[in-house]
Amino acid sequence: MTKIKDIGEQGLLERLQRFCPPEIIGDDAAVLVTAPEQSLVVTTDVLVDGVHFSNITTSPEDAGWRSAAANLSDLAAMGASPLGITVGLGLPGEVRVSWVERLYQGMTECLQKYNTSIVGGDVVRSPVTTLAITAFGQVHPSQIIRRSAAVVGDAIVVTGVHGASRAGLELLLHPELEQNLKDADRKTLIHAHQRPQPRLDVLPILQKILTPNSCTDAINRVSTPNSQLPIAGMDSSDGLADAIIQICRASGVGAILERRQISIPAAFDHWLTQEQALEYALYGGEDFELVLCLSQESASALVEYLGEGAAIVGKITPGSTVLLHDEQKKFPDQVLSLSQGFQHFNS
């Protein structure tokens, strides 16, 4: 099998150029054209072998898909449509060329679904495989979604179920957990981890729902110079609890999250305990759904449009506390914090 050290940097670049549009690749930088009156949105994500992916849990194609999806999800969380990505790749010389080509194939498969391309990047020698992607998108300034725009009374909406990716990862790492789980459910959960779907499909629905009501909603919301859209949000890549806490911190508000309204995969019903299912949903991460705060009326309309999996899971409140509540009073109220989820550099 051909290794990277056998063909060198230029040889590898020649092979990777076929994954990029020929009219863009070849100069020192890519030139991307935005539509008139659009703002450029830029996000960067770094993935490291052994931390974000491994040969135990992901094929090269899956690692590529996940890396592209993570960046597209960040664009969706800002309300932006993708324009292209650049890829910074650090590789040991012993890595097989075919592994890298399969990685790029996975990225391309994800990007093609959203009419997006790899428009450049860099390749360097590294002691560990590292993937750094920068994604570019565009959005009209009045349509930007920010974390800081939530106001008291907003409903909190999730665009899909939470906990599936964490469950898929656990099944890959611990196959013995498959007991009492249907084969179809096992495949669905593993697919959720290996091939997450960035929720760019939600953006046109939001436009349809919010545009007619934007003037009315704006009267009851705190206006800022940078955001006019009556909505706040982010993606749930670091977990549902993390997303809600981050939005509340940025907006200077609190929240009540209703335990029994949290949307979890149906496969959990006869496989995990209630506490395990809740842990996966709140802190599992990498579900790449959107968590959005908007008026009750708009929230109900959005959930109806999105269908199964989408749900109103709570509301924005005064103060700064994010509380997990059980309306049936079978469980005591619980204050949620960032320390309960995954954080880089924590021991």
Side-chain angles (χ1 to χ4, degrees):
M1 299 293 289
T2 305
K3 297 179 179 179
I4 293 171
K5 67 179 183 179
D6 298 327
I7 63 173
E9 178 184 359
Q10 292 303 315
L12 181 60
L13 288 174
E14 286 181 10
R15 295 196 181 208
L16 296 182
Q17 281 181 356
R18 76 172 189 265
F19 294 100
C20 310
E23 70 276 10
I24 292 180
I25 295 298
D27 291 306
D28 290 324
V31 178
L32 302 177
V33 179
T34 62
E37 300 182 354
Q38 296 283 304
S39 293
L40 182 66
V41 180
V42 183
T43 181
T44 298
D45 204 31
V46 179
L47 297 95
V48 179
D49 187 14
V51 179
H52 301 93
F53 59 91
S54 74
N55 58 8
I56 298 175
T57 60
T58 47
S59 67
E61 291 88 349
D62 291 334
W65 178 291
R66 281 170 51 80
S67 63
N71 282 268
L72 295 183
S73 181
D74 283 338
L75 293 180
M78 296 294 296
S81 301
L83 293 170
I85 71 167
T86 60
V87 182
L89 194 58
L91 295 164
E94 294 296 323
V95 172
R96 293 175 177 176
V97 173
S98 60
W99 188 94
V100 180
E101 291 176 319
R102 292 171 62 191
L103 177 79
Y104 271 65
Q105 183 60 43
M107 281 190 279
T108 301
E109 289 173 1
C110 179
L111 294 171
Q112 285 178 339
K113 187 175 179 180
Y114 305 99
N115 299 314
T116 308
S117 301
I118 301 171
V119 298
D122 191 23
V123 175
V124 298
R125 184 176 62 186
S126 169
V128 61
T129 300
T130 305
L131 187 61
I133 293 181
T134 297
F136 303 87
Q138 64 180 6
V139 60
H140 191 279
S142 67
Q143 305 301 316
I144 297 172
I145 298 173
R146 296 186 184 275
R147 301 179 186 182
S148 57
V151 299
V152 174
D154 277 353
I156 304 171
V157 172
V158 294
T159 58
V161 299
H162 281 79
S165 179
R166 168 67 184 277
L169 175 61
E170 292 296 329
L171 288 168
L172 289 164
L173 292 174
H174 307 287
E176 67 275 11
L177 296 177
E178 296 178 11
Q179 295 180 6
N180 301 322
L181 188 64
K182 296 178 181 178
D183 186 60
D185 290 336
R186 181 188 69 83
K187 290 179 179 178
T188 297
L189 294 174
I190 289 176
H191 186 78
H193 177 72
Q194 294 179 333
R195 297 278 171 136
Q197 307 294 318
R199 298 309 304 266
L200 289 160
D201 62 300
V202 175
L203 303 185
I205 298 173
L206 285 175
Q207 295 300 322
K208 187 179 299 185
I209 291 171
L210 294 175
T211 300
N213 302 321
S214 58
C215 293
T216 302
D217 289 346
I219 296 174
N220 300 315
R221 302 182 69 90
V222 178
S223 61
T224 68
N226 296 319
S227 177
Q228 299 169 23
L229 198 65
I231 186 172
M234 63 179 288
D235 79 348
S236 60
S237 56
D238 290 327
L240 175 57
D242 176 275
I244 294 174
I245 293 169
Q246 297 278 17
I247 291 170
C248 288
R249 284 188 175 185
S251 300
V253 294
I256 292 181
L257 186 63
E258 295 293 345
R259 176 186 288 259
R260 296 186 181 276
Q261 291 175 206
I262 296 173
S263 189
I264 61 175
F268 286 7
D269 290 346
H270 304 291
W271 181 54
L272 299 177
T273 66
Q274 288 187 10
E275 289 307 300
Q276 286 175 319
L278 184 66
E279 176 74 15
Y280 282 14
L282 289 176
Y283 301 111
E286 297 188 324
D287 289 299
F288 296 108
E289 295 292 340
L290 298 184
V291 181
L292 305 169
C293 302
L294 59 170
S295 71
Q296 293 284 339
E297 180 182 357
S298 297
S300 297
L302 177 60
V303 169
E304 185 176 351
Y305 263 100
L306 293 177
E308 186 177 0
I312 296 175
V313 298
K315 64 181 179 181
I316 298 297
T317 61
S320 59
T321 302
V322 177
L323 199 65
L324 179 66
H325 177 66
D326 179 20
E327 59 187 1
Q328 295 185 351
K329 298 184 178 181
K330 292 184 178 180
F331 299 92
D333 288 348
Q334 177 184 344
V335 176
L336 303 181
S337 70
L338 294 180
S339 63
Q340 295 165 275
F342 173 78
Q343 298 286 324
H344 285 283
F345 310 114
N346 282 2
S347 56

